[in-house]
Amino acid sequence: MDDVEVRRIRNDFPILSQQVSGKPLIYLDSGATSQNPLSVLEAEQEFYEQRNAAVHRGAHQLAVAATDAFEHARATVAGFVGAKDNELVWTANATAGLNLLAYSFSNASRSGAGNQPSQAQRFALAPGDEVLVTEMEHHANLIPWQELCRRTGATLKFIPVDDDGALRLEEAERLITGRTRILAFTHVSNVLGVINPVRELTALAHNAGALVVLDACQSAPHLPLDLKALDVDFAVFSGHKMLGPTGIGALYGRAELLDALPPFLTGGSMITTVTMSEARYLPAPQRFEAGTQPISQAVALAAAVNYLRETGMDRIHRWETELGQRLVAGLDAIDGVRVLGPKPGRERTGLAAFDVQGVHAHDVGQFLDDRGIAVRVGHHCAQPLHRRLGLTATTRASAYLYNTTDEVDQLLDAAGRIRGYFGVTTRGAGV
Ligand code: PLP
């Protein structure tokens, strides 16, 4: 990809042509949420205009058309991440997927849970068991495990990061033991942009008999992802970060695991038979999809995935790597700016979080917004990581396939002016 192609791509994204603060919008906040191409907006509208009905229920033709569209969307999204259709459960977002898992594990920890109690036993946690996460997790992949440990008496441990934010793999080797039941970690950090060694960590966990949960929120939108090849047991991602609408995400699980795991939410559409005293549940994915599902959102997410696939995930990844390197090299060269994560030249995705010494991240965000540049400021839902790196808040610029090198350069130019604007000339002085 190059800037010429990106300019063509931008024509597909109506929101990007607007002005803010009288300046052309420079949207560098796709790590938080991405924008939608016309094909995604049209897919959702077409669904409501032509096929809207409840799925898996009605005998009428609209219901059949809606069900076809919904299940076709599942096959498309599952194929995109290397999964089979029955291995992909729709969720509201990644957070919902992780909570679903954590609550299903605790349901397995109650005696007689689900309608397959003997199979569910393999997920049961008790005092003495350990759940392992990393110090760089988004709160969505931390708090559900904290709560699971609280409910079951298991112990939560974490793999620490070094001063550059890289996982300390020698610590991972020490911490993954026969007591480890679950290893949950992010593929790509939403703060550091670092790509974690999934295969290596998964092999360590599997050798110890632990299950692996991958947070693919910041990888599924940005690089080719084959969950089977990575050999993880479960994974989650969010549609709104990969050109899709809000309200839709997915939980991947190996088929035999999903079929054995007790459900979290119960109710309509996930059962085979119900009496006044008990219920029997459908196999996955339906056993995890109680109630009316986000149907139009699933259809629109499939359109997003088709857009990404047609553009080419390898090409998108290469382009974002180029933008990420430009971003980190430029920020690193600015006096008084500290970039988190891998140093320039080391592998990272197209995002960079940085601290402007002496200027609060919220002031940095305001300064950039006045110039039409949209970034994210704060702790990015990763307070423990910020604490470890000695910071409370940073500014994060995150690029996607629709960002040009010129936009990155404009951010760098503005970033170079921040300390002067706020009158901070010596390190650590000022606000
Ligand atoms: N995990 C990571 C790494 C993220 O970046 C995010 C969102 O920022 C999430 C999980 C949670 O995603 P959502 O809010 O869509 O559930």
Side-chain angles (χ1 to χ4, degrees):
M1 285 174 67
D2 56 18
D3 280 319
V4 176
E5 181 175 354
V6 172
R7 281 197 197 92
R8 211 168 44 239
I9 284 175
R10 290 172 71 86
N11 292 333
D12 296 333
F13 292 81
I15 201 169
L16 295 178
S17 57
Q18 69 180 276
Q19 306 241 318
V20 294
S21 309
K23 313 262 178 1
L25 168 66
I26 296 179
Y27 189 74
L28 287 170
D29 197 18
S30 296
T33 203
S34 61
Q35 301 300 347
N36 311 114
L38 282 166
S39 59
V40 168
L41 304 175
E42 286 162 5
E44 195 156 1
Q45 185 168 354
E46 192 270 349
F47 178 81
Y48 279 120
E49 284 179 358
Q50 306 289 335
R51 302 186 237 196
N52 187 33
V55 297
H56 292 307
R57 288 178 199 175
H60 56 84
Q61 289 182 35
L62 266 191
V64 172
T67 304
D68 280 354
F70 183 63
E71 290 304 327
H72 190 258
R74 191 193 306 275
T76 303
V77 176
F80 183 69
V81 294
K84 289 187 255 151
D85 305 4
N86 61 342
E87 296 179 316
L88 192 110
V89 177
W90 296 120
T91 60
N93 48 37
T95 305
L98 290 161
N99 276 282
L100 184 163
L101 265 186
Y103 275 100
S104 295
F105 273 95
S106 42
N107 284 342
S109 309
R110 293 183 293 112
S111 59
N115 62 355
Q116 289 165 310
S118 57
Q119 288 188 50
Q121 270 311 308
R122 64 195 287 193
F123 303 105
L125 264 64
D129 290 333
E130 293 176 1
V131 177
L132 189 60
V133 294
T134 83
E135 204 174 7
M136 68 170 74
E137 295 312 311
H138 187 285
H139 297 163
N141 198 27
L142 171 61
I143 305 171
W145 305 120
Q146 291 176 346
E147 290 297 322
L148 172 63
C149 288
R150 224 186 303 282
R151 289 194 296 273
T152 59
T155 303
L156 186 74
K157 295 197 162 175
F158 67 89
I159 304 168
V161 299
D162 66 19
D163 291 343
D164 287 335
L167 282 183
R168 291 180 51 193
L169 293 177
E170 78 290 356
E171 281 295 298
E173 281 175 30
R174 191 182 64 77
L175 286 161
I176 298 172
T177 69
R179 286 186 299 280
T180 313
R181 301 292 311 283
I182 300 168
L183 169 63
F185 66 98
T186 193
H187 191 175
V188 173
S189 161
N190 65 315
V191 176
L192 306 161
V194 69
I195 304 173
N196 285 321
V198 179
R199 268 184 244 258
E200 209 174 320
L201 287 167
T202 299
L204 284 174
H206 283 169
N207 285 342
L211 290 166
V212 174
V213 180
L214 188 72
D215 178 350
C217 253
Q218 298 290 345
S219 58
H222 302 290
L223 44 89
L225 185 64
D226 184 340
L227 295 171
K228 286 274 184 242
L230 291 177
D231 200 28
V232 298
D233 300 296
F234 298 100
V236 296
F237 52 94
S238 279
H240 68 97
K241 292 185 195 286
M242 48 197 292
L243 310 185
T246 51
I248 184 81
L251 163 71
Y252 157 82
R254 286 200 286 118
E256 67 275 21
L257 294 176
L258 284 183
D259 282 338
L261 193 64
F264 163 42
L265 296 177
T266 51
S269 300
M270 48 79 73
I271 51 83
T272 53
T273 49
V274 183
T275 68
M276 284 314 293
S277 55
E278 62 171 19
R280 299 192 71 79
Y281 307 131
L282 284 164
Q286 273 77 27
R287 71 200 275 120
F288 298 105
E289 294 180 356
T292 304
Q293 294 296 297
I295 310 164
S296 65
Q297 291 91 334
V299 170
L301 177 56
V305 156
N306 285 334
Y307 189 95
L308 289 170
R309 211 199 304 255
E310 278 158 26
T311 309
M313 290 308 292
D314 267 322
R315 300 173 70 243
I316 291 170
H317 180 45
R318 277 202 298 278
W319 178 245
E320 290 178 27
T321 301
E322 201 176 318
L323 295 180
Q325 289 300 331
R326 195 179 184 95
L327 193 56
V328 71
L331 288 168
D332 196 56
I334 301 171
D335 189 39
V337 168
R338 171 184 168 199
V339 190
L340 306 190
K343 298 269 178 268
R346 305 288 298 272
E347 183 183 53
R348 67 155 64 223
T349 58
L351 70 83
F354 58 98
D355 173 51
V356 181
Q357 284 165 357
V359 186
H360 194 279
H362 286 99
D363 291 328
V364 173
Q366 185 64 58
F367 177 87
L368 295 174
D369 189 47
D370 288 345
R371 285 149 189 80
I373 304 171
V375 294
R376 167 103 190 247
V377 296
H379 50 64
H380 319 303
C381 301
Q383 281 187 9
L385 175 64
H386 276 78
R387 204 169 289 121
R388 163 66 181 83
L389 299 176
L391 297 162
T392 50
T394 52
T395 304
R396 182 186 69 189
S398 50
Y400 209 179
L401 75 168
Y402 39 62
N403 288 116
T404 62
T405 52
D406 179 58
E407 289 183 309
V408 170
D409 290 348
Q410 291 198 50
L411 169 87
L412 294 173
D413 179 66
R417 298 169 192 272
I418 295 170
R419 296 180 86 228
Y421 179 88
F422 286 97
V424 183
T425 47
T426 52
R427 279 173 188 265
V431 186

